[in-house]
């Protein structure tokens, strides 16, 4: 019968502490892996499946090898060295993770497997080392009986994993950068290693603690001098949805979300369209006449909304799901709410379902190359946009895909889906044919289809604040859609449609300012 002493709470033993912390670190690193890998390979189901598979495989191998060695090698000092080796690898990830990631993206693998080598290199070794901790701790446990020992170790490791999952997801990622989260885990591992060797650590683990601590500090300090390959870092944070950076390079300020350039602003001319694709947001003014109210779904750096407010006598609503993006736009991109500009924090589809407003133009700018909210791609959603548009309203969707080839599947499926609701759908490419780029889909309720010549004529006749002649020249013929599905709420295989784009270069064209005799105008010049 269990004694009263055995029932009373007690402090964790050193092996138990090691197991708990290894659980925290392994699950925390697994959650963090998604943020680290996403800028290069996206965050599709294939990326997350690879992350989970690699972590499970590495842990299993660590359990197996550690179990074979535990009987003769398990000591508190060796567990401390394993934790320190893991922390040293974390320091390497902090310092050179981006370099390692890009170097592992060159293997000619099918798109769905492209992330496997990088995930294996970046996260396999530290997870493998953490796998040794549980069998070592079981060997050193004070519990009696194999069942009791194994159950106790499994429970502590699982509790640690729960803490690591919830802590990383709800506390660390919304509050800290990827580098600082890595530092948190590294410091936790070093502190635990030191704790389990006290009160009289031998020389080897004591020196190792000092060395690894210095590595962690150096790894975080080196890139924190305020500069990255993209330019001078003005602001950086982890939001509940993505990693956000504001970077200055020359006279251009850029908003990066999960490492991808999302919006840019000319510091000398804040309302100029820096990215070529944002000029296409004005295309509805050639397809309809009276535009009194406009909705942007997705804010980013608010390039389109700011220009619309400056250029037109129209009320502009913007709905953005990430409050940190709104804050960054207000602080670093000159966004100010007014009687003409209304900013809403929320989900785009929910906003459209709940609003009673009718819009003349709706611009969908919430898609990313690798992260597309499927609920805003379906025929049901397109019908919702149509219901919220006036009789001659226009829908614009900024789709990231390729105009042709294997990487065009998402674009062609979205075109087919929009065509189920809108009588006319037009598409305009923004870069060299065949590469992944921004493709602008424009849908109208008008039964008559406008030709390229019609648009050029309207461009000459109408004063809309900028010349769209070059943009009209990118007018595309309707793409073939027989081999792609109509996207529906109950079946929208967006991940599989995005899969062929994995590992391909995403091309964004920028504009330059050139004099044309009557002042200055924006001119496209490709910058990838």
């Amino acid at each position: 019968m269990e004694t009263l002493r055995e029932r009373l709470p007690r402090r964790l033993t050193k092996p138990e502490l090691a197991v708990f912390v290894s659980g925290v670190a392994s699950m925390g690193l697994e959650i963090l892996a998604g943020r680290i890998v996403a800028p290069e390979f996206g965050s599709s189901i294939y990326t997350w499946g690879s992350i989970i598979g690699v972590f499970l495989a590495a842990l299993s191998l660590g359990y197996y090898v550690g179990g074979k060695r535990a009987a003769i090698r398990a000591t508190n000092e060796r567990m401390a060295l394993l934790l320190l080796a893991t922390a040293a690898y974390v320091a390497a990830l902090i310092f050179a993770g981006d370099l390692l990631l890009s170097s592992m993206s060159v293997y000619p693998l099918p798109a769905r497997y492209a992330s496997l080598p990088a995930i294996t290199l970046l996260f396999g070794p530290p997870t493998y080392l953490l796998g040794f901790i549980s069998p070592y701790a079981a060997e050193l446990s004070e519990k009696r009986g194999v069942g009791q020992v194994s159950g106790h170790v499994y429970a502590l490791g699982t509790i640690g994993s729960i803490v690591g999952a919830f802590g990383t997801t709800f506390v660390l990622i919304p509050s800290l950068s990827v580098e600082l989260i890595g530092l948190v885990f590294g410091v936790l591992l070093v502190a635990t290693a030191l704790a389990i060797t006290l009160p009289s650590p031998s020389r080897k683990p004591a020196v190792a603690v000092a060395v690894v601590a210095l590595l962690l500090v150096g790894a975080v300090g080196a890139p924190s001098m305020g500069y990255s390959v993209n330019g001078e870092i003005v602001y950086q944070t982890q939001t509940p949805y993505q990693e956000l950076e504001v970077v200055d390079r020359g006279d251009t300020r850029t908003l990066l979300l999960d490492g991808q350039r999302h919006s840019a602003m000319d510091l000398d001319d804040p309302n100029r369209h820096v990215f070529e694709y944002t000029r296409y947001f004005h295309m509805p003014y050639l397809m309809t006449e009276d535009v009194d109210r406009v909705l942007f779904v997705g804010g980013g750096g608010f390039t389109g909304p700011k220009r619309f407010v400056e250029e037109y006598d129209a009320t502009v609503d913007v709905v953005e799901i990430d409050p940190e993006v709104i804050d960054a736009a207000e602080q670093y991109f000159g966004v100010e709410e007014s009687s003409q500009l209304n900013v809403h924090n929320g989900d785009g589809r929910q906003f459209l379902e709940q609003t009673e407003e009718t819009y003349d133009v709706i611009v969908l700018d919430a898609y990313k190359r690798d992260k597309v909210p499927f609920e805003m791609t379906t025929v049901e959603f397109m019908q919702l946009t149509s219901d919220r548009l006036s009789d001659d309203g226009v829908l614009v969707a900024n789709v990231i895909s390729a105009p042709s080839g294997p990487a065009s599947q998402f674009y062609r499926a979205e075109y087919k889906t929009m065509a189920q609701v809108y009588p006319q759908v037009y598409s305009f490419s923004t870069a060299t044919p065949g590469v992944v780029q921004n493709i602008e889909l424009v849908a109208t309720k008008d039964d008559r289809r406008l030709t390229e010549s019609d648009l050029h004529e309207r461009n000459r006749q109408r004063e809309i604040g900028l010349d769209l002649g070059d943009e009209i020249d990118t007018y595309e013929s309707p793409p073939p859609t027989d081999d792609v599905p109509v996207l529906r709420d109950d079946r929208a295989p967006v991940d599989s449609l995005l899969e062929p784009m994995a590992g391909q270069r995403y091309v964004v064209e920028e504009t330059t300012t050139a004099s044309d005799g009557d002042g200055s105008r924006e001119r496209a010049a490709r910058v990838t």
Side-chain angles (χ1 to χ4, degrees):
M1 181 177 293
E2 200 174 34
T3 66
L4 178 62
R5 180 180 178 81
E6 289 172 329
R7 291 179 184 176
L8 291 175
R10 60 182 180 80
R11 299 176 67 178
L12 292 177
T13 65
K14 292 177 179 180
E16 290 170 346
L17 175 63
V19 169
F20 176 79
V21 170
S22 70
V24 172
S26 62
M27 185 55 72
L29 288 173
E30 186 170 345
I31 301 295
L32 188 61
R35 286 298 176 95
I36 294 175
V37 173
E40 188 72 33
F41 297 102
S43 57
S44 70
I45 190 172
Y46 305 111
T47 300
W48 273 108
S50 298
I51 290 171
I52 294 169
V54 166
F55 271 78
L56 289 175
L59 278 174
S60 297
L61 185 59
Y63 293 153
Y64 176 74
V65 177
K68 292 180 66 175
R69 298 179 180 178
I72 57 174
R73 303 198 55 160
T75 64
N76 286 336
E77 181 176 308
R78 285 200 173 98
M79 282 197 301
L81 293 175
L82 287 167
L83 294 172
L84 290 169
T86 305
Y89 206 95
V90 170
L93 290 180
I94 296 171
F95 181 75
D98 289 343
L99 179 62
L100 293 172
L101 194 63
S102 60
S103 69
M104 297 302 290
S105 65
V106 298
Y107 292 97
L109 294 173
R112 65 178 60 185
Y113 308 114
S115 63
L116 263 175
I119 295 168
T120 302
L121 174 65
L122 269 64
F123 300 101
T127 310
Y128 167 74
L129 293 173
L130 290 175
F132 277 68
I133 300 298
S134 290
Y136 276 33
E139 183 68 28
L140 298 171
S141 175
E142 298 174 359
K143 298 290 182 182
R144 295 185 297 272
V146 174
Q148 187 179 18
V149 169
S150 58
H152 191 67
V153 169
Y154 292 152
L156 276 174
T158 303
I159 293 170
S161 295
I162 293 170
V163 172
F166 282 110
T168 305
T169 302
F170 295 105
V171 178
L172 296 181
I173 286 179
S175 305
L176 302 174
S177 67
V178 167
E179 291 78 13
L180 289 179
I181 296 172
L183 177 63
V184 168
F185 290 127
V187 169
L188 177 64
L189 292 166
V190 170
T192 305
L194 180 61
I196 65 176
T197 59
L198 293 175
S200 54
S202 62
R203 185 173 181 273
K204 188 175 182 180
V207 171
V209 164
V211 170
V212 175
L214 288 173
L215 287 175
L216 286 166
V217 172
V220 173
S224 68
M225 304 304 291
Y227 197 82
S228 73
V229 294
N230 294 304
E232 181 186 355
I233 299 173
V234 177
Y235 177 68
Q236 182 183 52
T237 188
Q238 289 285 336
T239 84
Y241 300 93
Q242 56 213 333
E243 181 183 27
L244 184 154
E245 283 184 319
V246 178
V247 174
D248 284 354
R249 189 169 187 174
D251 58 1
T252 300
R253 173 165 292 172
T254 304
L255 174 70
L256 292 96
L257 301 177
D258 282 339
Q260 300 292 332
R261 296 190 301 165
H262 191 276
S263 301
M265 180 179 73
D266 186 331
L267 294 172
D268 297 324
D269 185 3
N271 291 318
R272 182 173 76 84
H273 289 287
V274 175
F275 288 166
E276 168 70 10
Y277 78 87
T278 59
R279 290 170 53 88
Y280 289 80
F281 296 165
H282 299 259
M283 197 66 73
Y285 281 84
L286 303 181
M287 298 182 172
T288 189
E289 294 197 22
D290 296 323
V291 178
D292 296 319
R293 199 169 192 102
V294 179
L295 171 66
F296 281 81
V297 179
F302 284 64
T303 301
K306 286 194 303 179
R307 184 64 178 260
F308 273 47
V309 167
E310 178 197 44
E311 203 77 54
Y312 309 123
D313 183 21
T315 300
V316 179
D317 291 341
V318 182
V319 56
E320 166 61 51
I321 195 170
D322 192 338
E324 294 284 352
V325 170
I326 296 173
D327 290 345
E330 292 175 343
Q331 186 168 355
Y332 300 103
F333 290 86
V335 174
E336 294 183 7
E337 284 199 75
S338 65
S339 59
Q340 203 177 344
L341 176 62
N342 307 300
V343 181
H344 308 270
N345 177 215
D347 175 82
R349 180 160 176 167
Q350 290 179 1
F351 179 87
L352 281 167
E353 288 170 344
Q354 296 167 5
T355 186
E356 297 180 358
E357 295 289 350
T358 298
Y359 294 95
D360 301 301
V361 176
I362 295 176
V363 180
L364 303 180
D365 194 21
Y367 303 154
K368 296 184 185 179
R369 181 182 70 169
D370 60 304
K371 220 184 290 185
V372 174
F374 84 89
E375 70 276 8
M376 287 198 286
T377 67
T378 64
V379 69
E380 291 86 354
F381 176 73
M382 296 306 162
Q383 185 60 58
L384 177 60
T385 63
S386 178
D387 294 342
R388 295 295 180 267
L389 283 169
S390 58
D391 291 340
D392 56 352
V394 181
L395 174 70
V396 180
N398 176 36
V399 173
I400 300 178
S401 188
S404 59
S408 69
Q409 291 183 29
F410 176 59
Y411 150 58
R412 293 186 294 112
E414 193 69 326
Y415 185 102
K416 185 175 184 178
T417 301
M418 293 173 72
Q420 302 296 304
V421 176
Y422 291 91
Q424 301 298 337
V425 181
Y426 305 84
S427 58
F428 302 87
S429 58
T430 65
T432 305
V435 301
V436 175
Q437 59 188 272
N438 297 83
I439 301 175
E440 306 310 310
L441 295 178
V442 183
T444 71
K445 297 182 177 183
D446 193 344
D447 290 331
R448 175 182 172 238
R449 186 169 185 85
L450 296 172
T451 65
E452 189 174 337
S453 298
D454 292 333
L455 292 174
H456 274 297
E457 180 62 27
R458 293 186 179 190
N459 184 53
R460 285 190 290 270
Q461 293 177 351
R462 298 184 181 182
E463 293 293 332
I464 65 169
L466 70 171
D467 180 5
L468 294 178
D470 291 342
E471 286 71 29
I472 296 169
D473 287 339
T474 66
Y475 187 108
E476 296 277 346
S477 299
T481 58
D482 291 343
D483 61 331
V484 292
V486 172
L487 304 177
R488 303 185 184 278
D489 280 354
D490 61 354
R491 187 178 183 274
V494 172
D495 285 333
S496 62
L497 295 171
L498 296 174
E499 179 190 338
M501 292 193 290
Q504 293 202 27
R505 195 170 75 171
Y506 169 35
V507 175
V508 182
E509 286 199 355
E510 294 186 8
T511 64
T512 58
T513 303
S515 175
D516 61 3
D518 298 320
S520 64
R521 64 185 179 90
E522 296 161 359
R523 176 176 297 164
R526 187 171 71 172
V527 181
T528 60

